[in-house]
Amino acid sequence: MAMKTTMNGGDGHYSYTRNSLGQRQGLELMKDLINKGIDEKLDVAKFMSSSSSFSPKMFRVADLGSSVGPNTYFAVQNIINSVKLKYQETDVEFQAFFNDQISNDFNTLFKNLPSDREYFVAAAPGPFHGRLFPKKSIHFVHSSYSLHWLSSVPKELVDKESPAYNKGKIFYTSASEQVFEAYTAQFAKDITSFLNARAHEVVHGGLMALLIPCFPDGTPPSQRNMEGVFDLLGDSLTDLANMGLVSEAKVDSFNLPLYHTSPQELKGLIEKNGDFSIERMENICRSRTQVDASFIKSMILHLRAAWEGMIREHFGNDIVDELFDRFTKKAINSSIFSESEKYESLSELFVLLKRNGD
């Protein structure tokens, strides 16, 4: 079951523009890793020498899951700066493609483009699990905080006859093993589709840099504190159902289209695909944050910027404020963070892939 998974547009209080500082910090932490990858692994001169005398020397970058900015501008400019530093020629031109779902707020994305940018721009709307570009046309693909979004909710979760029917829950954290297996299978299908599509589009020797939320290898859902927070949203929806503000059936048919992988699981899917070599894979470490009421409120604002669209689509507009008010209060009063030493925390996995072939 496909769901709207675009971030909140515009620049209002609940917009992604105002609630994406955490993602920006992750991009800053991966900046040097991308720069090193381009310096050591990307043969820019080979790409430029393949241009004919009748066509300009063009280097194309694609950012997949761009949302509305501003983080995508930072990521693209860093890639271009690094390529220019390695290939110190003045006759190369750059083109950047910004991709997201068709329902994304591309107006805000392009309205706020940096005036001093050093690249030509184009939109590439559509789901990135399928083809977006012509064959062998992209030199560098970047995608951060996007691949944990599933293309659709596993259909078994809303099938009353299925062992994976997820009645009364909206995620796999405290659900049955069959529910978790359904999510795992959907993620494997999506990653395989993503890699197959990029294998057609990326030139041989081109790079792909990914930043993906993940948990350590072997961590069961019951020990993932961040995912435990998601159950509180489900509890809040159940409260609204008990109050008669939404139907129980409506809650039963709602599941979050998210999945957090592990390094080992992702590595296995990439190797099974075979079209890309893993040049680097490592966790990005952030400094520990003081978890207090202010931090939790900020975290819920971030989640609202990401989730509000699909919640409105499924439940309508009337319950959104009440739902997130309850969600915030439950998160503040929860013992999940105060007992965090018992749980594994969500982290970020940096992956640098190189398209196989000469």
Side-chain angles (χ1 to χ4, degrees):
M1 182 177 64
M3 303 183 75
K4 177 184 177 182
T5 56
T6 49
M7 308 297 105
N8 278 352
D11 57 3
H13 183 61
Y14 301 119
S15 67
Y16 182 80
T17 300
R18 292 195 179 187
N19 295 284
S20 56
L21 177 60
Q23 290 92 328
R24 173 57 178 266
Q25 292 170 342
L27 291 179
E28 290 174 347
L29 288 171
M30 73 184 289
K31 177 181 176 181
D32 289 343
L33 295 174
I34 288 178
N35 294 345
K36 187 174 182 180
I38 290 173
D39 181 54
E40 296 179 352
K41 305 294 183 179
L42 194 67
D43 189 349
V44 182
K46 182 185 75 171
F47 301 146
M48 296 303 102
S49 64
S50 64
S51 300
S52 72
S53 58
F54 300 102
S55 61
K57 294 181 178 179
M58 181 71 70
F59 189 93
R60 297 181 181 89
V61 179
D63 182 60
L64 308 185
S66 299
S67 188
V68 295
N71 294 332
T72 186
Y73 316 137
F74 174 86
V76 167
Q77 189 60 57
N78 175 57
I79 293 165
I80 289 174
N81 288 345
S82 187
V83 171
K84 289 174 67 177
L85 183 64
K86 180 169 186 177
Y87 185 74
Q88 297 185 3
E89 299 287 343
T90 58
D91 58 346
V92 61
E93 295 186 304
F94 294 90
Q95 185 173 24
F97 295 94
F98 296 102
N99 157 262
D100 215 303
Q101 299 281 359
I102 294 172
S103 55
N104 184 60
D105 184 4
F106 283 100
N107 286 337
T108 294
L109 175 64
F110 285 102
K111 180 180 69 175
N112 294 324
L113 279 167
S115 59
D116 59 348
R117 65 186 181 278
E118 302 174 285
Y119 49 89
F120 298 96
V121 300
F128 54 51
H129 297 102
R131 289 284 303 278
L132 293 165
F133 309 104
K135 291 182 178 180
K136 298 181 181 180
S137 62
I138 304 298
H139 301 95
F140 198 105
V141 171
H142 170 270
S143 185
S144 58
Y145 304 105
S146 298
L147 284 173
H148 64 298
W149 287 100
L150 299 177
S151 64
S152 62
V153 172
K155 60 182 183 299
E156 302 96 312
L157 305 186
V158 294
D159 180 1
K160 294 181 181 180
E161 305 302 319
S162 170
Y165 179 47
N166 205 24
K167 179 177 174 57
K169 302 180 186 300
I170 67 168
F171 202 49
Y172 57 72
T173 319
S174 57
S176 68
E177 183 65 24
Q178 290 90 341
V179 170
F180 183 65
E181 290 173 354
Y183 269 97
T184 300
Q186 184 64 51
F187 178 75
K189 179 181 177 182
D190 286 351
I191 290 296
T192 299
S193 297
F194 176 86
L195 293 172
N196 287 341
R198 303 295 83 76
H200 287 288
E201 299 164 351
V202 177
V203 300
H204 289 165
L207 295 182
M208 184 153 57
L210 311 174
L211 190 60
I212 308 173
C214 73
F215 281 96
D217 293 329
T219 307
S222 60
Q223 294 181 17
R224 301 176 176 188
N225 65 327
M226 183 59 197
E227 290 184 338
V229 174
F230 300 170
D231 285 340
L232 301 179
L233 179 67
D235 293 343
S236 301
L237 283 168
T238 299
D239 289 348
L240 298 187
N242 292 335
M243 296 166 62
L245 297 179
V246 296
S247 69
E248 182 180 338
K250 205 72 172 173
V251 176
D252 289 342
S253 63
F254 180 79
N255 291 273
L256 292 173
L258 301 169
Y259 180 82
H260 295 124
T261 188
S262 68
Q264 183 178 24
E265 180 180 25
L266 183 62
K267 182 174 183 286
L269 292 171
I270 295 169
E271 291 177 342
K272 183 178 180 181
N273 167 265
D275 289 315
F276 294 88
S277 62
I278 300 174
E279 302 297 323
R280 189 163 190 161
M281 178 180 280
E282 66 179 72
N283 282 315
I284 289 181
C285 298
R286 298 195 187 207
S287 57
R288 197 167 182 83
T289 303
Q290 177 65 37
V291 177
D292 53 20
S294 177
F295 170 83
I296 293 173
K297 289 178 181 178
S298 177
M299 179 190 71
I300 300 300
L301 280 174
H302 160 73
L303 295 178
R304 179 166 180 168
W307 295 354
E308 183 172 344
M310 61 182 172
I311 289 173
R312 288 183 183 275
E313 181 182 41
H314 191 83
F315 294 101
N317 297 328
D318 295 341
I319 70 161
V320 173
D321 289 337
E322 174 69 19
L323 174 63
F324 280 98
D325 285 346
R326 285 180 173 272
F327 183 26
T328 302
K329 291 174 183 176
K330 287 180 184 291
I332 290 174
N333 295 325
S334 172
S335 62
I336 288 176
F337 293 109
S338 62
E339 298 179 357
S340 60
E341 68 274 6
K342 298 180 182 179
Y343 299 89
E344 290 286 358
S345 295
L346 190 67
S347 62
E348 292 123 324
L349 182 69
F350 173 79
V351 184
L352 184 70
L353 303 179
K354 188 172 185 176
R355 179 67 173 95
N356 293 332
D358 296 327

